[in-house]
Amino acid sequence: MGMTMAEKILARAAGRSRVEPGEIVEVAVDLVMTNDITAPLSIAEFKKLGVDRVFDPKKVVFVPDHFVPAKDIKAAEQSKIMREFALEQGAIYFEIGRAGIEHVVLPEHGLTRPGMVIIGADSHTCTYGAFNAFATGMGSTDIAAAMATGTTWMRVPPTIKFVYTGKLPPFVTGKDLILYTIGQIGVDGALYACMEFTGPVIDELPMDDRITMANMAIEAGAKTGIFACDDKTREWLANVTSEPYEPVDSDPDAHYAQVIEFDVSNLRPLVALPHLPSNVRPADEVRDLPIDQVVIGSCTNGRLSDLRIAAEILKGRQVHPRVRCIVIPGSQEVAKQATKEGLVDIFLEAGAVFSVSTCGPCLGGYMGVLAKGERCVSTTNRNFRGRMGHRESEVILASPAVAAASAVLGRVASPFELN
Amino acid sequence: MPMRGRVWKFGDNIDTDVIIPARYLVTIDPQELAQHVMEDIDPEFASKVRPGDIIVAGRNFGCGSSREHAPIAIKAAGVQAVVAESFARIFFRNAINIGLPVVEAPEAVRETDTGDELEIDTENGIVCNLRTGKTYKATQYDEFIQHIIRAGGLLNAVRERLAARKAAEAGQ
C-alpha cells in the first residue's frame, strides 16, 4: 500500500522505507523555531541538559514577535534572554525592523521548504504545511530537546483528505475555506491527524490562502495540515531561495482515515462567533451585532494579499465612528510593499491605525486589548473566551474582506452589504 | 502507587487561554503562573484548589496554544493529575514532558462531578470514583511514553540518552 505525503516525509526523516499511522518514530528535524514567549522556557530547559551548543545553528531560529517591541519590563526581559542566547549560539535571529511575525517571516526567507520536518514552540507552526513540509507545534521542553539533539519523537498521524470542488465565489478566501471546514468537523474533528488539502479549488488557490488554511489546521485539533508542491509553491520558492528541496506527493493508493469532499461553489463569506472557531455562520446572517474593534493582520491573515483585499474595501470609505480599526502587517517586507502600493495611505485615510508588525492583540498581549463587554472582528485564529483581553470580551473570526466591511459598517457584515 | 484526590470538574474544549491567559506569559516562574491558573474559566479556582486535587474535564482539554506554561501552572497549583475524555495533542505532550499525569478516561469523566474523590492508577490504567465505588478503564500509554514518565519527564529521558551516547563513544 502507498503512503500519504505526511507519512513519506516522516519515513524519510526517520531513515525508514515506510511508517504507519499510530506508530512512534524518532525523526531528524530540519528546522526548530521558538519565539519570545516560548524561547525563555526552552532555553532554561536546554541549559539543564548540560549541552553547550545547539545541534546546528543554521537550523535553529528565534523570532521575537509576540510582545515586541517590548510591551513592558517583564516582556523585555524575556526577549533579552532569547536575543542573548540566539547571538551566543550563532543561530538564526530575526530582529524587529528586519522581520515580523514568525510564520510570515520564515516563508519569506525561504526557510520552509517541501519535504522538511519543521517543529516550533508555537501552535501555528503547522502553517508551513502550505509549503509541503511536515510542520507541527510543540511545547518548550520538546523544543529544548530538539535544539540539543536535532531529533524529536512523532506519533505518525492518520491523514484526513479534504477535497474542495466547485468554483470559489468572490470574496470567499482561504480563511473562509478553513473556517467552513472547522465548522463542519469541529474543533477536535481532526484531533492528532494530518489534514491534507486537495482538489481543483486548492489547485487554483494562491499561496497566501493556502498558508492561511494550513495555519488554522490546529484549530481543528490537527497535528498538521499539508498541501502538495505545485507550480505556485515552486514559484514562491524560486523568488526567495536557491536551496534545493525534495517535494513529496501522496500515492494514489495511500490510506486515508477519512476522505471529506466539500463543494464550495455556494459558500458565502463567513465568521466564527464566540467562543470557538467552529461556531461558523455566513457573515450576512449575523444581523445587528455592533462591534468596537477590528484587527486585520496576524500569522493567519497578515500577508500582502490580505492587506490588498482590506484596502480594496476601505478605499474611499471611512471606518465607522464607534470602531477602532487596527491594521498590522505580518512583516517588515509586507509593510514595505504595502507602503509602496499605497495601501498604507488608504488605511490611514480611512481612519484605521497602521501598526508595527506583532502578534500583540491576537492573544490579548498588547496593541489592541479588549475591555469588558467589547466585541472585535478579527482576522486572527482564535476566539476563545478572554483571548484578546477581558474574559467578558468577544472575538469574531473572519477574513480581511469581512473584517474591513465590518469596520466600515460598525457591525458584523459581509463585503456584499457595502454600496 | 495509585493517587487519590478531590475533583474539580470542567467542560469540553478547555483551551490554554483560559488555563493561563496570555497576559501572564511574561514569566516562566511556576508559582507566579499558578496564581492565575484557570483564571478565565473560574476566577476563584487558584484560591480554591488544594495540593493533591484532580482536574476532570471533557473533550479536547488544553486545545489552542503550545504554551507549556499551561501544564506548568496546573502542576504548580498542586493539581495531581488531569483526567479528560480527550486531550489536545500539544498539551498532552507538554504534560507528559513536565511530569503532569494526564489520563484519558471518557466514561469516568461522564460520571464524575466536582467534589467527588477519585483514585487513579496510571500504571495499570484504572480510575475509581470513591463516591460511587465504580471503576473505569483509562487509555494506556505506549511503551515510549511510559519510558518518558518513568524517567520523570522528557529532559531526564534525553539526558539518559545523551549520557548513553557519550559512554558508547568513549568505549569505542
PDB file of all heavy atoms in Angstrom, chain A residues 368-380:
ATOM      1  N   GLY A 368      -4.111  46.564  21.356  1.00  0.00           N
ATOM      2  CA  GLY A 368      -5.477  46.261  20.939  1.00  0.00           C
ATOM      3  C   GLY A 368      -6.170  45.272  21.861  1.00  0.00           C
ATOM      4  O   GLY A 368      -6.928  44.416  21.412  1.00  0.00           O
ATOM      5  N   VAL A 369      -5.896  45.401  23.177  1.00  0.00           N
ATOM      6  CA  VAL A 369      -6.530  44.520  24.172  1.00  0.00           C
ATOM      7  C   VAL A 369      -7.966  45.014  24.413  1.00  0.00           C
ATOM      8  O   VAL A 369      -8.226  46.210  24.434  1.00  0.00           O
ATOM      9  CB  VAL A 369      -5.719  44.559  25.485  1.00  0.00           C
ATOM     10  CG1 VAL A 369      -6.406  43.737  26.566  1.00  0.00           C
ATOM     11  CG2 VAL A 369      -4.304  44.032  25.235  1.00  0.00           C
ATOM     12  N   LEU A 370      -8.893  44.075  24.576  1.00  0.00           N
ATOM     13  CA  LEU A 370     -10.312  44.413  24.697  1.00  0.00           C
ATOM     14  C   LEU A 370     -10.739  44.616  26.159  1.00  0.00           C
ATOM     15  O   LEU A 370     -10.321  43.865  27.042  1.00  0.00           O
ATOM     16  CB  LEU A 370     -11.179  43.314  24.087  1.00  0.00           C
ATOM     17  CG  LEU A 370     -10.976  43.049  22.594  1.00  0.00           C
ATOM     18  CD1 LEU A 370     -11.825  41.863  22.156  1.00  0.00           C
ATOM     19  CD2 LEU A 370     -11.308  44.283  21.755  1.00  0.00           C
ATOM     20  N   ALA A 371     -11.599  45.610  26.359  1.00  0.00           N
ATOM     21  CA  ALA A 371     -12.184  45.853  27.684  1.00  0.00           C
ATOM     22  C   ALA A 371     -13.380  44.929  27.892  1.00  0.00           C
ATOM     23  O   ALA A 371     -13.866  44.294  26.944  1.00  0.00           O
ATOM     24  CB  ALA A 371     -12.627  47.305  27.793  1.00  0.00           C
ATOM     25  N   LYS A 372     -13.876  44.884  29.118  1.00  0.00           N
ATOM     26  CA  LYS A 372     -15.065  44.105  29.459  1.00  0.00           C
ATOM     27  C   LYS A 372     -16.221  44.520  28.544  1.00  0.00           C
ATOM     28  O   LYS A 372     -16.499  45.713  28.387  1.00  0.00           O
ATOM     29  CB  LYS A 372     -15.424  44.376  30.917  1.00  0.00           C
ATOM     30  CG  LYS A 372     -16.623  43.601  31.429  1.00  0.00           C
ATOM     31  CD  LYS A 372     -16.830  43.870  32.906  1.00  0.00           C
ATOM     32  CE  LYS A 372     -18.074  43.138  33.397  1.00  0.00           C
ATOM     33  NZ  LYS A 372     -18.289  43.340  34.823  1.00  0.00           N
ATOM     34  N   GLY A 373     -16.868  43.541  27.959  1.00  0.00           N
ATOM     35  CA  GLY A 373     -18.046  43.815  27.140  1.00  0.00           C
ATOM     36  C   GLY A 373     -17.744  44.241  25.710  1.00  0.00           C
ATOM     37  O   GLY A 373     -18.672  44.398  24.917  1.00  0.00           O
ATOM     38  N   GLU A 374     -16.471  44.412  25.363  1.00  0.00           N
ATOM     39  CA  GLU A 374     -16.154  44.831  23.993  1.00  0.00           C
ATOM     40  C   GLU A 374     -16.160  43.648  23.030  1.00  0.00           C
ATOM     41  O   GLU A 374     -15.924  42.498  23.417  1.00  0.00           O
ATOM     42  CB  GLU A 374     -14.805  45.553  23.954  1.00  0.00           C
ATOM     43  CG  GLU A 374     -14.878  46.948  24.516  1.00  0.00           C
ATOM     44  CD  GLU A 374     -13.649  47.793  24.202  1.00  0.00           C
ATOM     45  OE1 GLU A 374     -12.520  47.248  24.174  1.00  0.00           O
ATOM     46  OE2 GLU A 374     -13.811  49.000  23.998  1.00  0.00           O
ATOM     47  N   ARG A 375     -16.414  43.984  21.759  1.00  0.00           N
ATOM     48  CA  ARG A 375     -16.507  42.948  20.730  1.00  0.00           C
ATOM     49  C   ARG A 375     -15.611  43.336  19.554  1.00  0.00           C
ATOM     50  O   ARG A 375     -15.621  44.475  19.104  1.00  0.00           O
ATOM     51  CB  ARG A 375     -17.960  42.838  20.269  1.00  0.00           C
ATOM     52  CG  ARG A 375     -18.231  41.681  19.332  1.00  0.00           C
ATOM     53  CD  ARG A 375     -19.710  41.611  18.981  1.00  0.00           C
ATOM     54  NE  ARG A 375     -20.539  41.251  20.123  1.00  0.00           N
ATOM     55  CZ  ARG A 375     -21.592  41.960  20.522  1.00  0.00           C
ATOM     56  NH1 ARG A 375     -21.955  43.060  19.885  1.00  0.00           N
ATOM     57  NH2 ARG A 375     -22.291  41.563  21.559  1.00  0.00           N
ATOM     58  N   CYS A 376     -14.863  42.357  19.055  1.00  0.00           N
ATOM     59  CA  CYS A 376     -13.891  42.628  17.989  1.00  0.00           C
ATOM     60  C   CYS A 376     -14.059  41.641  16.835  1.00  0.00           C
ATOM     61  O   CYS A 376     -14.195  40.435  17.055  1.00  0.00           O
ATOM     62  CB  CYS A 376     -12.476  42.495  18.564  1.00  0.00           C
ATOM     63  SG  CYS A 376     -11.160  42.699  17.364  1.00  0.00           S
ATOM     64  N   VAL A 377     -14.078  42.153  15.615  1.00  0.00           N
ATOM     65  CA  VAL A 377     -13.961  41.278  14.450  1.00  0.00           C
ATOM     66  C   VAL A 377     -12.491  41.230  14.090  1.00  0.00           C
ATOM     67  O   VAL A 377     -11.860  42.274  13.912  1.00  0.00           O
ATOM     68  CB  VAL A 377     -14.788  41.798  13.252  1.00  0.00           C
ATOM     69  CG1 VAL A 377     -14.488  40.963  12.000  1.00  0.00           C
ATOM     70  CG2 VAL A 377     -16.273  41.744  13.568  1.00  0.00           C
ATOM     71  N   SER A 378     -11.941  40.024  14.001  1.00  0.00           N
ATOM     72  CA  SER A 378     -10.502  39.884  13.866  1.00  0.00           C
ATOM     73  C   SER A 378     -10.146  38.832  12.821  1.00  0.00           C
ATOM     74  O   SER A 378     -10.800  37.792  12.719  1.00  0.00           O
ATOM     75  CB  SER A 378      -9.917  39.488  15.230  1.00  0.00           C
ATOM     76  OG  SER A 378      -8.528  39.377  15.142  1.00  0.00           O
ATOM     77  N   THR A 379      -9.087  39.106  12.063  1.00  0.00           N
ATOM     78  CA  THR A 379      -8.652  38.125  11.050  1.00  0.00           C
ATOM     79  C   THR A 379      -7.700  37.102  11.654  1.00  0.00           C
ATOM     80  O   THR A 379      -7.014  36.391  10.923  1.00  0.00           O
ATOM     81  CB  THR A 379      -7.949  38.824   9.878  1.00  0.00           C
ATOM     82  OG1 THR A 379      -6.704  39.360  10.345  1.00  0.00           O
ATOM     83  CG2 THR A 379      -8.805  39.932   9.288  1.00  0.00           C
ATOM     84  N   THR A 380      -7.655  37.043  12.993  1.00  0.00           N
ATOM     85  CA  THR A 380      -6.742  36.114  13.657  1.00  0.00           C
ATOM     86  C   THR A 380      -7.335  34.704  13.681  1.00  0.00           C
ATOM     87  O   THR A 380      -8.219  34.395  12.885  1.00  0.00           O
ATOM     88  CB  THR A 380      -6.436  36.638  15.078  1.00  0.00           C
ATOM     89  OG1 THR A 380      -7.684  36.903  15.738  1.00  0.00           O
ATOM     90  CG2 THR A 380      -5.656  37.939  14.999  1.00  0.00           C
TER      91      THR A 380
END
